[in-house]
Amino acid sequence: MREEVRSIAMRAKGFLVEAEGMSLYRLAVEISGSGPCLEIGSYCGRSALFLGEGCRERGRYPLFTVDHHEGSAEQQPGQPYFDPDLYDAAEGVTTTLQALRRNIRLAGLQDWVIPIVAASVRLGRYWPPATLSLVFIDGGHSEADAFGDYETWAPTIKPGGYLCIHDIHPDPADGGQAPYHVLQRARAEGAWDHLGTVDTLAILRRQ
Ligand code: MG
C-alpha cells in the first residue's frame, strides 16, 4: 500500500482502525480481479481509500461506495457522534459527500473509488445477483438497517467472494449489537465460512 494513501486514509474522519483498513486493502488486492467491490457507508472515505487502493493495485475492477451522505441517526445535531464540521447550517443537514470526494481526490483514486449517493437498500433492489467480489457493510447500526443491508446485499456476492461486517461487539458493553446479530445470522445460514475477525471487522467468504 502506498504510504501517502495510508496516511490520507488515516487522517480522514472515520471510525475504522488501521488494522481493519489494512485487512480490507489486502482482501481487495486478492479478490477484486473477479468483480467490483462495494461498500455500504462511505462516510468521509477512510475505508474506501483502503479498499480502493487494493482495487487500484489489482488493476481490474473498482470499488463502488454507497451512502445517502446525510449522516446516521447518531450523527445528527445533539447526538453523540455529531460533528459540526460536517453540518451544513444553511441547508440544516449533515453532509459527508464533500469530505468523501476531497479524500478520493487527495488519494488520486478517482478511477478506482466510485461514489453512489443513495439509500443502500433502495439501490440494492436493482443490483444484479452474484456480481460483486466483496461487500463491506458499515452502514446504519439499527437492527432494521443492519439486517436490511445484509438481506439486500448478501445475494450480490459471487461464490468465493467476501462479506465484511464492521463494528462487531459480542459484549453489549462495548457497543451496539446489530452488526453482531447479523454475523450470527450469517453463520447460522451455513452458506459462509467465517474466516475470522480483525478488531471489530468480521470476514466471511461465500461457499
Ligand atoms: Mg463502522
Side-chain angles (χ1 to χ4, degrees), residues 15 138 141 166-167:
F15 307 96
D138 190 21
H141 286 47
H166 197 225
D167 299 307

Side-chain angles (χ1 to χ4, degrees), residues 14-126:
F15 307 96
L16 189 92
V17 303
E18 187 167 341
E20 296 169 335
M22 290 305 295
S23 294
L24 291 173
Y25 158 75
R26 290 189 199 99
L27 291 174
V29 172
E30 178 199 324
I31 202 76
S32 66
S34 65
C37 301
L38 185 139
E39 167 181 67
I40 298 149
S42 319
Y43 193 51
C44 299
R46 178 181 288 181
S47 46
L49 296 195
F50 282 103
L51 286 163
E53 175 72 354
C55 291
R56 187 197 69 82
E57 193 165 311
R58 183 60 181 252
R60 183 87 195 269
Y61 291 102
L63 168 75
F64 297 105
T65 185
V66 182
D67 201 308
H68 51 57
H69 284 290
E70 295 180 356
S72 61
E74 58 271 29
Q75 290 160 353
Q76 303 307 314
Q79 299 303 310
Y81 287 94
F82 176 66
D83 183 336
D85 294 351
L86 300 173
Y87 189 68
D88 183 331
E91 295 277 336
V93 290
T94 292
T95 177
T96 50
L97 180 59
Q98 288 304 102
L100 171 68
R101 296 188 65 201
R102 178 169 185 274
N103 287 322
I104 294 169
R105 195 164 55 241
L106 282 173
L109 286 171
Q110 297 95 323
D111 290 345
W112 297 100
V113 179
I114 301 175
I116 301 176
V117 181
S120 58
V121 168
R122 284 198 164 270
L123 174 71
R125 280 179 204 157
Y126 307 105

